Amino acid sequence: MSPTTVAEHRQRVAELVGRMPVLQLPLDECLGLVLAADVIAPLSLPPFDNSAMDGYAVRAADLVGVPVRLPVTDDIPAGRTELSALEPGSVQRIMTGAPVPPGADAVVQVEWTDGGPGTITGTVTINAAVEAGANIRTAGDDVQKGDAVLVAGTVLRPAQLGLASALGLAELPVRRRPRVLILSTGSELVEPGQPLQQGQIYESNGMMLASSVREAGGIAVQLRFVPDDVDAFHRALAPYLGSVDVIVTSGGVSAGAYEVVKDALVSHDVRFTKVAMQPGGPQGAGRYEGVPVLTLPGNPVSAQVSFEVFVRPALLAAMGHLQVERTTARATITTGLTSPAGRTQFRRGAYDPSSGQVVTPVGGPGSHLLSALALSNCLIEVPQDVTELAAGAEVTIRYLQ
């Protein structure tokens, strides 16, 4: 049987991880989430005509023949709710953001008068004329009541949340964050900070994958140090089945002995396959007790590349993101590459757009070379029908930052 293509496995993973439910969440919990429905403005912004300057509310017609000296009949701070009408031949002192009184059609900034910011006098001299409408923010100048101000699919950043708050909205409908259980298997794994014995290694995939889930906007639940024992594997998963949306495992899916994930899940609705890619060939996807489960290979670079190619896009789509792919670019490689026939290869790279859009491969293709991944800011994608690229060849890169 021919290997599964990268595109085929991506589609399978995407179909397994469905959309997250829609919740009404307080604004301070919505940062980075995706709006699930259009937001219709319940009021106009500004909601009333207000002053754009500290100064004096005037009738523009009263300023003919400046300088003129006019009586100050009222003082309007921001937040004033009751206003007196401006009579012809008079002015009212007004602060930025304060409502413009009836009868006024302009505001003269305080710098164009002999008035001071801290005192009110009975009269003020205005030294420059203004046109009607000057320094007034009119009601609805920014947003009209009934406007669709934010559309479904918008990622909620500070500016969008600020707008929602300005409209008086305390909550927004969003797709919630997926809870992802990260399970690292292997009897050889040891918690960082503990002494190593011969044949043991420090566990790194759990930290790397959990951080990747959080970076994508999900909630990561880490389950470490499940030994290579099928019964222990089932016991470890059981307490989480009712509380997580996706299970992501690393390790135990190759063709050798002691492949605990494969042995534990092969009788469930999980299909294991060889994907035509390097690194990250051994993959699995399906459901375990109804929960979507994605099984990644155990070598650290294989696990992380698999997350980038398959898991991250599925999680973003589950949260309602319209853009689920990393940003890509075209670049020329500084050194030649070889790639196995029939496989899409993902090599680590350092991309420097300031030096002519070139990318330098970092390290070799080995799936254990984690330090090379840590020094990289992109993945270099070599198509499966390409076995060799010379220095100077153009390639597609995927940003990792």
Side-chain angles (χ1 to χ4, degrees), residues 16-108:
L16 276 170
V17 183
R19 291 290 186 97
M20 292 295 104
V22 175
L23 301 176
Q24 289 284 141
L25 289 183
L27 295 189
D28 61 3
E29 297 179 22
C30 290
L31 183 63
L33 296 181
V34 177
L35 193 63
D38 292 352
V39 172
I40 307 302
L43 50 81
S44 294
L45 291 179
F48 51 85
D49 291 354
N50 70 89
S51 177
M53 295 281 184
D54 293 337
Y56 293 87
V58 302
R59 292 173 180 262
D62 290 338
L63 305 187
V64 176
V66 291
V68 296
R69 192 158 187 83
L70 299 171
V72 181
T73 60
D74 206 348
D75 185 41
I76 313 172
R80 178 84 172 266
T81 57
E82 295 183 1
L83 301 173
S84 58
L86 179 66
E87 298 298 330
S90 68
V91 301
Q92 295 182 15
R93 193 174 76 153
I94 192 167
M95 299 296 108
T96 302
V100 175
D105 61 9
V107 171
V108 177

Side-chain angles (χ1 to χ4, degrees), residues 305-386:
V305 169
S306 298
F307 183 93
E308 283 290 326
V309 176
F310 302 122
V311 184
R312 184 178 183 275
L315 294 181
L316 291 174
M319 289 187 286
H321 285 266
L322 302 179
Q323 175 58 44
V324 301
E325 300 295 341
R326 292 281 197 185
T327 301
T328 62
R330 297 290 287 175
T332 55
I333 54 174
T334 58
T335 61
L337 294 175
T338 59
S339 181
R343 298 187 197 177
T344 301
Q345 187 183 61
F346 297 95
R347 294 285 293 269
R348 286 127 279 178
Y351 176 60
D352 182 8
S354 67
S355 60
Q357 293 186 309
V358 298
V359 60
T360 301
V362 180
S367 58
H368 64 293
L369 301 176
L370 184 56
S371 64
L373 182 60
L375 295 172
S376 300
N377 62 5
C378 69
L379 294 177
I380 302 168
E381 185 171 339
V382 184
Q384 67 179 55
D385 59 350
V386 175

Side-chain angles (χ1 to χ4, degrees), residues 149-215:
V149 291
L150 297 171
V151 298
T154 298
V155 180
L156 296 169
R157 304 299 185 194
Q160 289 78 28
L161 295 174
L163 175 59
S165 186
L167 290 167
L169 302 174
E171 298 179 333
L172 288 174
V174 294
R175 293 197 180 274
R176 70 166 173 81
R177 303 179 190 276
R179 289 177 57 84
V180 183
L181 178 65
I182 303 296
L183 171 60
S184 300
T185 64
S187 298
E188 76 280 14
L189 301 178
V190 176
E191 183 178 2
Q194 301 300 313
L196 284 180
Q197 297 182 19
Q198 182 67 27
Q200 295 181 325
I201 60 172
Y202 287 120
E203 196 278 324
S204 60
N205 285 0
M207 174 57 66
M208 186 163 52
L209 294 172
S211 299
S212 297
V213 167
R214 296 183 186 110
E215 184 186 55

Side-chain angles (χ1 to χ4, degrees), residues 1 4 9 12 249 251-254 259-275 281-286 293-296:
M1 186 173 65
T4 302
H9 193 66
R12 177 164 173 76
T249 69
V253 294
S254 295
E259 302 295 344
V260 63
V261 173
K262 202 170 190 179
D263 293 342
L265 299 180
V266 70
S267 60
H268 289 72
D269 186 21
V270 179
R271 185 175 73 193
F272 294 90
T273 188
K274 186 78 169 178
V275 177
Q283 301 285 338
V293 58
L294 311 174
T295 69
L296 312 182

